[in-house]
C-alpha cells in the first residue's frame, strides 16, 4: 500500500508567525524541524497502518523546508522548486491513499491560522467550478482526478472543519485552535505528533471507508486577484481569459493543467506584486 503525503507549513504544530515560514527569518530553522516532525508522525502512522512505501512532497513556498537529515528514513522526499504539479507533485494513480499534513484554511476564514489560498497577499479568492476553493479542495480534487482518496488532514481546527465539510468522515487532527490569523492555542509537539501518528494509522485501518473526491470535468479555475495589474498579466497566458477587472478564469478537462497553471500564476503574480510598487 503506497501512501502520498503533501506537507505544507502554516498548519504545522506550534507555528503562528509568518517569519517562521520564510528562510532567513526569525524562527524559520525551528519551523523546519517542527514541520519535519509532523511529517515523520504521519510516516510512522502510515507504516504502523500497513504502508509499503511513503512519498513525502514538500508543498510549502520554496519547497526546500523539510529536513531530509531528520526525515524518517523509510520515506522518500520530493524537494525543490520547478515541480509541475506543485503541492501535488508525484501524486498519481499508483497510490492507495493521500494525506495532507500542516494544511491551513482557505482565504477569508476568520479563525483560520495564517489563512490564505495559494498566495498570502496577491490572491483574494480562488474558485473551482464556481465554488470557493482552498488548498485542501484543490489538492483533494487533484488526488480524486487520479482516483486516490484523501484519508487524513492535519493543521488548525479551521482546516479540519473545511476538510470534513468537503470530504465527509475524513480523519483530521487539530494541532492548534485559531484565535485570529496570527494567534492560536497550541498543543505541545509531543501531543500533536502522537495524535497525527494515531490518526494516520487509524485512517489506513479503515481505508475502505474512503472514496476519492471527484469534481466533474470540465474544470474551471477562477482566481480573484488583489490587483488589476496581476489579473491583466496572467490573462496573457494562453487559455486564460479575463472575467472581470481582477478576475481570471481557465477551463480544461485535465486537472494536472490546473496544478501546473497555479505555479505559473504564482511566478507572474509575485513578480508583478514585487515590481509594481505600493500601488501594484
Amino acid at each position: 500500500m503506497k501512501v502520498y503525503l503533501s506537507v505544507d507549513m502554516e498548519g504545522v504544530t506550534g507555528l503562528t508567525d509568518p517569519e517562521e515560514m520564510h528562510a532567513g527569518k526569525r524562527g524559520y530553522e525551528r519551523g523546519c524541524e517542527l514541520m519535519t516532525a509532523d511529517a515523520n508522525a504521519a510516516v510512522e502512522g502510515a507504516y504502523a497502518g500497513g504502508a509499503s512505501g511513503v512519498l513525502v512532497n514538500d508543498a510549502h513556498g520554496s519547497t526546500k523546508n523539510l529536513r531530509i537529515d531528520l526525515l524518517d528514513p523509510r520515506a522518500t522526499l520530493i524537494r525543490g522548486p520547478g515541480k509541475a504539479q506543485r503541492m501535488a507533485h508525484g501524486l498519481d494513480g499508483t497510490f492507495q491513499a493521500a494525506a495532507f499534513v500542516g494544511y491551513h484554511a482557505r482565504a477569508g476564514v476568520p479563525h483560520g491560522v495564517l489563512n490564505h489560498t495559494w498566495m498570502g497577499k496577491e490572491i483574494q479568492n480562488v474558485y473551482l467550478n464556481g465554488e470557493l476553493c482552498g488548498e485542501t479542495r484543490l489538492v483533494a480534487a487533484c488526488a480524486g482526478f487520479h482516483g486516490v482518496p484523501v484519508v487524513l488532514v492535519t493543521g488548525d481546527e479551521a482546516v479540519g472543519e473545511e476538510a470534513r465539510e468537503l470530504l465527509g468522515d475524513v480523519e483530521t487532527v487539530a494541532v492548534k485552535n485559531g484565535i485570529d490569523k496570527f494567534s492560536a492555542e497550541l498543543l505541545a509537539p509531543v501531543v500533536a505528533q502522537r495524535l497525527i501518528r494515531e490518526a494516520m494509522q487509524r485512517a489506513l485501518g479503515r481505508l475502505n471507508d474512503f472514496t476519492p473526491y471527484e469534481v466533474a470535468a470540465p474544470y474551471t479555475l477562477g482566481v480573484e486577484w488583489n490587483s488589476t495589474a496581476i489579473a491583466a498579466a496572467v490573462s496573457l497566458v494562453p487559455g486564460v481569459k479575463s472575467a472581470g477587472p481582477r478576475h481570471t478564469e481557465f477551463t480544461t478537462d485535465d486537472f494536472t493543467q490546473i496544478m501546473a497553471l497555479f505555479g505559473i500564476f504564482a511566478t507572474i503574480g509575485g513578480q508583478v506584486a514585487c515590481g509594481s510598487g505600493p500601488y501594484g
Side-chain angles (χ1 to χ4, degrees):
M1 174 172 51
K2 291 175 61 180
V3 177
Y4 178 87
L5 301 184
S6 176
V7 185
D8 205 354
M9 201 168 187
E10 286 86 357
V12 162
T13 297
L15 304 185
T16 61
D17 188 337
E19 289 200 348
E20 296 168 327
M21 284 147 243
H22 289 84
K25 300 292 187 178
R26 179 180 56 84
Y28 172 71
E29 295 301 330
R30 179 57 178 152
C32 292
E33 293 173 0
L34 289 166
M35 182 184 184
T36 308
D38 277 13
N40 279 341
V43 172
E44 292 165 8
Y47 277 103
S52 58
V54 178
L55 176 62
V56 179
N57 179 34
D58 189 326
H60 174 75
S62 69
T63 66
K64 297 184 289 185
N65 312 285
L66 287 169
R67 289 276 302 272
I68 186 62
D69 56 317
L70 300 179
L71 190 70
D72 189 311
R74 294 172 293 180
T76 56
L77 173 66
I78 297 177
R79 180 181 188 272
K83 301 182 293 191
Q85 293 298 287
R86 304 288 166 156
M87 295 184 77
H89 199 83
L91 177 58
D92 59 29
T94 66
F95 290 89
Q96 283 69 57
F100 303 160
V101 176
Y103 269 50
H104 54 83
R106 66 176 179 263
V109 177
H111 61 296
V113 182
L114 299 164
N115 69 83
H116 68 280
T117 304
W118 205 267
M119 303 181 77
K121 297 178 180 179
E122 294 84 356
I123 291 177
Q124 185 78 7
N125 283 304
V126 172
Y127 301 87
L128 182 59
N129 288 6
E131 297 182 4
L132 270 175
C133 180
E135 292 169 25
T136 298
R137 184 167 188 239
L138 187 74
V139 185
C142 185
F145 178 75
H146 294 294
V148 181
V150 177
V151 301
L152 170 68
V153 178
T154 82
D156 67 336
E157 177 56 38
V159 79
E161 294 171 1
E162 188 175 322
R164 291 189 295 272
E165 179 182 347
L166 181 73
L167 303 172
D169 192 23
V170 63
E171 293 283 347
T172 60
V173 176
V175 304
K176 48 194 160 188
N177 191 9
I179 297 170
D180 199 354
K181 186 169 184 175
F182 303 112
S183 58
E185 181 180 355
L186 309 172
L187 293 181
V190 66
V191 175
Q193 288 147 20
R194 174 178 55 80
L195 293 175
I196 293 171
R197 184 167 52 251
E198 292 173 349
M200 185 77 251
Q201 181 177 359
R202 188 166 57 245
L204 295 186
R206 62 182 192 93
L207 186 58
N208 290 336
D209 293 345
F210 303 102
T211 56
Y213 175 69
E214 296 180 345
V215 177
Y219 313 108
T220 296
L221 174 70
V223 181
E224 181 187 0
W225 300 92
N226 283 333
S227 164
T228 56
I230 298 175
V234 300
S235 67
L236 298 175
V237 177
V240 178
K241 66 178 184 179
S242 175
R246 294 187 294 114
H247 198 120
T248 58
E249 288 187 348
F250 174 78
T251 300
T252 178
D253 287 328
D254 182 354
F255 204 91
T256 64
Q257 293 183 354
I258 297 285
M259 301 304 296
L261 185 64
F262 247 129
I264 297 171
F265 278 2
T267 300
I268 295 173
Q271 287 297 315
V272 172
C274 290
S276 55
Y279 296 101

